Amino acid sequence: MSRLLLRAAFSMGVLIAALAASRQVSAQSAPLTIDGAVSRALARAPELAAGREAETAAEARVGQARSAYLPRLGLDVTYSLHWPKTQLPIDLSFLPATIRPSIGEIDDLHRFRAGAQVSWRAFDLSRGSRVEAARSALSGEQARSRETEATLAFQVRALFLAALFARDLQQISRDSLALAAAEERRARLKAEVGTGSQVALAQARVRLAALRAQERQAASELARYRGQLQSLLALASPPELTGDLATLAGSAATLDLAQAPALARLRAARLAAELAARATARTLAPTLSLMLRADLEYPHAMKLEWGPLLQGGVTLAWDFYDGGLRTQQVREARAQARSLEAQERAATESLRRRLIDLEARARTAEAELASARETRAQTEVYLRVARAALSAGTGTTLDVHNAELGLDRARVAVKQALLAKALVRAESLALHGAVFDPAARTPPGARTPPAARTPPAGRSPGGRP
């Protein structure tokens, strides 16, 4: 009976393992979309993991700054050995023995104290600015993560688009190769029976050889890009790609340049430097602290016994002169803020120039696409006319050969223009810090950009808690 149970359990385990393996294989063999590739790359990118840890560290610094508003509670236990013992310097020998008071021991060699203390800084002008500076630094880390995400997403998109172009070029070569092979067979048969020329046969063979070389090159490029995607996405095998260059080369959505992560990062760093300078300058103002302490001590009240001791007080501290350290720290922070402001202006101008270049490239790609499509349509007409003329005996094989070559070039030119337009769109998304196309629905499992996260209830993005 026990053997049967063991065999059943073993069979069940094998079945479960096989089902899990089949699910993994089917998941990896499913066609990969461009947004799916971006999502998978972002999910496993070590750069983003490092960025998340940097955000966590920045959040911890915000908590450290906010802790200045909270009281401090401490416990301590002290034992000490004292010698000589304290004695009262009172001589009562002049009094009669009958009325002379008896003064016992008031001290011991051993002293103990256990206590708790609560302190709270009630007034400090600098802590609010320190909290705001820490929150601005957190916003800067979030913008840096967005920038890293957008850069990585662009790299994946560019690789995916190149793979789609290689796939389409391979398909164009295969289609043309099938027609060229048929043309070569007809030219060979005509040459054998004497109704065709060797020149026509040579032209057909030259075109066939060129298309075979083009097809092999496209297959090699496609394999290279699929291999790179496999490595980038940690897949078990090269992925099957799905997508259309014409769809991915659509008109780009209108985005706000002011939300570009590069500008947001510099803007947050500048604000953090300004707030740090303000916090340092406000340390010139005095601080007010409250303290309450309760102890259990021995000896107590000049008696060799245990007893409680309560203390309370107020401390006013004012560091009005520190040798010029505060002034130089403020000067340094303000210089950093001005430097970051200048960097922000330079980055804004650079991004605007890049946008102008992208718009020009988009117009060029659109014009080239329209021209290539028109050329393809006219070349198809030319090819039909040339074939009809050849069949009627009024045309030549050279006309057909030139038309076929022109059609191949026109089809490739259309794909090249679509690729150029799609790359411009992808670069525009990266420039604005968009990981996914705003016109498309965000894929399931995609990470929300840090800048889009809403602050917890009860907190303002840069205000006092």
Side-chain angles (χ1 to χ4, degrees):
M1 184 66 179
S2 60
R3 290 183 178 179
L4 291 176
L5 291 175
L6 289 175
R7 289 179 181 177
F10 178 75
S11 301
M12 184 62 68
V14 172
L15 179 60
I16 292 175
L19 289 175
S22 63
R23 287 179 181 177
Q24 183 178 4
V25 171
S26 62
Q28 292 186 352
S29 61
L32 184 66
T33 63
I34 190 168
D35 284 342
V38 171
S39 297
R40 190 177 181 94
L42 295 182
R44 65 174 301 273
E47 306 96 311
L48 297 184
R52 287 189 290 271
E53 294 301 328
E55 289 181 34
T56 302
E59 290 174 356
R61 287 191 290 272
V62 173
Q64 295 172 22
R66 292 182 64 248
S67 67
Y69 287 97
L70 303 177
R72 301 292 188 268
L73 175 63
L75 301 174
D76 61 87
V77 178
T78 304
Y79 164 76
S80 59
L81 187 63
H82 290 260
W83 186 87
K85 295 188 295 184
T86 303
Q87 297 181 354
L88 287 177
I90 301 176
D91 185 10
L92 302 178
S93 58
F94 64 92
L95 294 175
T98 55
I99 63 173
R100 185 185 306 163
S102 176
I103 300 177
E105 295 284 342
I106 65 170
D107 196 7
D108 197 345
L109 294 176
H110 306 281
R111 296 184 182 181
F112 301 88
R113 172 170 289 187
Q117 177 174 312
V118 178
S119 60
W120 178 55
R121 180 162 291 184
F123 179 77
D124 186 352
L125 280 179
S126 64
R127 57 188 173 186
S129 298
R130 288 199 301 269
V131 172
E132 294 177 359
R135 285 178 173 164
S136 296
L138 173 59
S139 299
E141 291 296 339
Q142 292 173 343
R144 189 187 303 275
S145 295
R146 286 178 52 212
E147 188 175 8
T148 304
E149 283 182 341
T151 301
L152 181 60
F154 171 71
Q155 294 173 355
V156 175
R157 286 181 179 276
L159 188 59
F160 198 95
L161 292 173
L164 290 183
F165 174 73
R167 183 200 64 182
D168 292 348
L169 185 59
Q170 183 185 33
Q171 187 60 45
I172 291 173
S173 301
R174 286 176 176 175
D175 295 342
S176 299
L177 193 59
L179 296 176
E183 292 289 341
E184 190 270 341
R185 285 194 298 271
R186 284 194 294 268
R188 186 177 69 252
L189 291 175
K190 289 182 179 181
E192 290 175 355
V193 300
T195 58
S197 64
Q198 292 295 325
V199 173
L201 178 59
Q203 290 175 344
R205 287 177 175 174
V206 167
R207 179 168 182 260
L208 186 63
L211 288 174
R212 283 173 178 168
Q214 180 176 302
E215 195 273 338
R216 285 194 298 268
Q217 182 180 2
S220 176
E221 291 294 311
L222 178 59
R224 178 166 69 94
Y225 294 133
R226 290 178 62 198
Q228 291 178 355
L229 285 172
Q230 176 188 357
S231 175
L232 182 63
L233 306 181
L235 299 174
S237 59
E240 293 296 331
L241 308 181
T242 180
D244 183 26
L245 283 177
T247 302
L248 298 175
S251 300
T254 303
L255 301 171
D256 185 9
L257 182 61
Q259 300 302 321
L263 298 182
R265 173 175 53 82
L266 292 172
R267 188 161 50 246
R270 173 181 57 80
L271 181 58
E274 292 175 350
L275 291 170
R278 183 191 302 173
T280 303
R282 287 183 174 181
T283 58
L284 179 61
T287 60
L288 181 66
S289 301
L290 307 179
M291 183 274 292
L292 178 64
R293 181 177 179 86
D295 291 295
L296 180 63
E297 63 177 5
Y298 172 88
H300 173 66
M302 302 179 67
K303 296 181 181 180
L304 298 182
E305 62 183 16
W306 292 89
L309 177 64
L310 299 178
Q311 304 177 65
V314 179
T315 302
L316 180 66
W318 185 21
D319 296 332
F320 60 89
Y321 180 73
D322 56 3
L325 176 62
R326 180 187 300 108
T327 303
Q328 297 305 319
Q329 289 176 340
V330 172
R331 180 185 177 190
E332 177 188 3
R334 288 174 176 171
Q336 289 177 351
R338 291 191 297 269
S339 173
L340 290 167
E341 184 180 10
Q343 293 179 39
E344 183 182 356
R345 291 197 302 269
T348 302
E349 294 177 1
S350 176
L351 291 179
R352 286 174 179 169
R353 288 192 293 268
R354 287 182 60 186
L355 279 180
I356 294 173
D357 178 66
L358 286 176
E359 291 171 356
R361 286 167 52 191
R363 290 192 298 269
T364 301
E366 187 67 34
E368 290 178 350
L369 178 60
S371 176
R373 284 173 172 169
E374 179 66 20
T375 302
R376 182 183 61 183
Q378 296 300 327
T379 307
E380 289 173 350
V381 174
Y382 174 38
L383 179 59
R384 289 196 297 270
V385 172
R387 286 174 175 171
L390 181 62
S391 300
T394 59
T396 63
T397 56
L398 180 60
D399 294 332
V400 176
H401 177 72
N402 290 335
E404 290 173 343
L405 291 179
L407 182 58
D408 292 341
R409 287 193 293 267
R411 294 175 66 187
V412 172
V414 169
K415 296 298 181 181
Q416 287 176 335
L418 289 173
L419 174 63
K421 191 176 178 182
L423 286 174
V424 168
R425 183 177 184 179
E427 190 172 348
S428 177
L429 291 175
L431 186 66
H432 290 87
V435 175
F436 300 101
D437 195 335
R441 183 173 62 88
T442 302
R447 180 170 179 252
T448 304
R453 300 173 188 163
T454 57
R459 297 185 190 175
S460 61
R464 174 176 170 175

